[in-house]
Amino acid sequence: MKNLLSKLTLLSLATVLLVGCGGGNNQAPANNEPSENTGNTNQAAAEAPEDLEDRTYIMGLDDTFAPMGFRDESGEIVGFDVDLAQDAAKRMGIDLDLQPIDWAMKEAELDAGNIDFIWNGYSVTPERAEKVDLSEPYLENSQIIIVMADSDVKTKADLAGKTVTLQAESSALDALNADEEFRASLGADPVEYATNVECFKDLEAGRSDAMVADGVLARYYIKQNGEENYRILEEDLGKEEYAVGIKKGNTALLEALNQALADQKADGTYDEIYSKWFSE
């Protein structure tokens, strides 16, 4: 009996020591050991460059600008630019928060330090290049003219003396003002709203005869709300490109972002995100 008790005691002691030392095949790696990465390498968070601040960066956006950045049925902010920015942030090794802003105040928000990126279908214009530093362009766009399907308007000339609506402080306004002959032909100043959705509602209600907007946004809206209800004129107000706006002089952030954007295109991530949000 004494021998049996001794053996059981030794066996129990050995078991305690084995568990306490982390023995067995289920041992977790120590905190300083890398775990196996079973996902895509481009999804792994990078280490932030030393010259970037150790803080959360803020992306300013218009949360009604589908499909670039908008709220889905559950109220979550989603979109092409959102996916692109979140992936870029991982590559840059920074944390990113999304902040809806008044689009008319975007450059002021950036200059005040309330946001770090203007990233939401931000078209490249000479005026904007004077106010902010711009990333390398990542998407082509155009300013198009939309009318209702039953409208008699077929060309820009048909809008002489008529009313046009667009988003305030937008590249649509810049494009309209740049076309001096077309601008002068209109019956009055364009009707400006805070969002493009409000512009569409104004057009649908018959309070305006046409709307000028980013082609990316307008085509997405039309597809979601019945393509048979609208018509896009063959003439547009010019081609342009989207880029990201960063506060003047923040060279480290701009270089890190441009590298992330280049890497996204090189490894196919950009094409994956593009396919998710856009179709023929």
Side-chain angles (χ1 to χ4, degrees):
M1 179 66 70
K2 290 174 67 176
N3 289 338
L4 178 59
L5 289 173
S6 298
K7 290 179 180 178
L8 289 173
T9 301
L10 290 172
L11 180 60
S12 298
L13 180 60
T15 302
V16 171
L17 290 172
L18 181 61
V19 173
C21 293
N25 294 331
N26 294 326
Q27 180 181 1
N31 290 337
N32 61 348
E33 294 178 359
S35 59
E36 183 181 0
N37 181 9
T38 57
N40 294 333
T41 56
N42 59 24
Q43 295 300 317
E47 185 175 342
E50 293 182 1
D51 43 4
L52 290 187
E53 298 178 58
D54 183 17
R55 62 176 177 84
T56 298
Y57 286 75
I58 308 298
M59 170 181 165
L61 74 159
D62 170 5
D63 62 355
T64 68
F65 198 88
M68 310 307 284
F70 64 103
R71 294 187 184 274
D72 62 13
E73 294 82 357
S74 64
E76 181 182 359
I77 300 176
V78 298
F80 174 77
D81 276 340
V82 173
D83 285 353
L84 210 63
Q86 290 174 337
D87 178 84
K90 290 181 182 179
R91 296 170 188 268
M92 297 162 66
I94 62 173
D95 293 325
L96 184 72
D97 278 351
L98 309 178
Q99 179 60 55
I101 59 173
D102 179 349
W103 196 245
M105 299 297 293
K106 53 193 175 298
E107 288 88 6
E109 295 276 16
L110 185 68
D111 191 56
N114 296 328
I115 60 175
D116 300 288
F117 305 102
I118 303 175
W119 197 334
N120 196 208
Y122 190 54
S123 301
V124 175
T125 69
E127 295 79 11
R128 289 174 175 176
E130 292 180 359
K131 298 177 182 178
V132 307
D133 283 339
L134 293 164
S135 73
E136 291 296 324
Y138 63 89
L139 187 67
E140 293 182 351
N141 183 45
S142 60
Q143 291 298 328
I144 63 175
I145 304 171
I146 308 103
V147 297
M148 300 306 294
D150 59 357
S151 171
D152 293 332
V153 174
K154 307 295 183 184
T155 67
K156 289 163 58 177
D158 293 337
L159 284 169
K162 298 186 181 298
T163 304
V164 170
T165 185
L166 43 72
Q167 186 181 28
E169 295 299 316
S170 66
S171 55
L173 179 59
D174 293 338
L176 178 64
N177 289 334
D179 191 333
E180 296 180 2
E181 182 178 354
F182 177 55
R183 174 71 176 79
S185 73
L186 299 178
D189 290 338
V191 178
E192 301 181 24
Y193 287 98
T195 70
N196 282 286
V197 173
E198 292 171 282
C199 296
F200 266 107
K201 298 305 180 185
D202 193 78
L203 177 65
E204 292 159 1
R207 290 188 293 268
S208 56
D209 301 292
M211 171 182 170
V212 179
D214 288 54
V216 169
L217 172 138
R219 293 178 191 281
Y220 187 88
Y221 180 97
I222 289 171
K223 185 175 182 180
Q224 300 298 315
N225 291 274
E227 295 175 286
E228 70 280 2
N229 297 320
Y230 312 88
R231 182 161 40 82
I232 298 172
L233 302 192
E234 292 185 6
E235 297 171 282
D236 60 39
L237 293 183
K239 311 300 180 186
E240 58 187 26
E241 295 175 305
Y242 286 156
V244 183
I246 293 176
K247 191 173 182 178
K248 281 282 189 182
N250 198 338
T251 305
L253 186 59
L254 182 63
E255 290 178 350
L257 175 59
N258 279 333
Q259 185 61 57
L261 292 173
D263 290 344
Q264 286 176 334
K265 291 195 173 182
D267 66 19
T269 301
Y270 178 92
D271 290 337
E272 292 176 8
I273 296 173
Y274 185 93
S275 297
K276 174 182 175 181
W277 291 104
F278 300 106
S279 65
E280 291 295 332

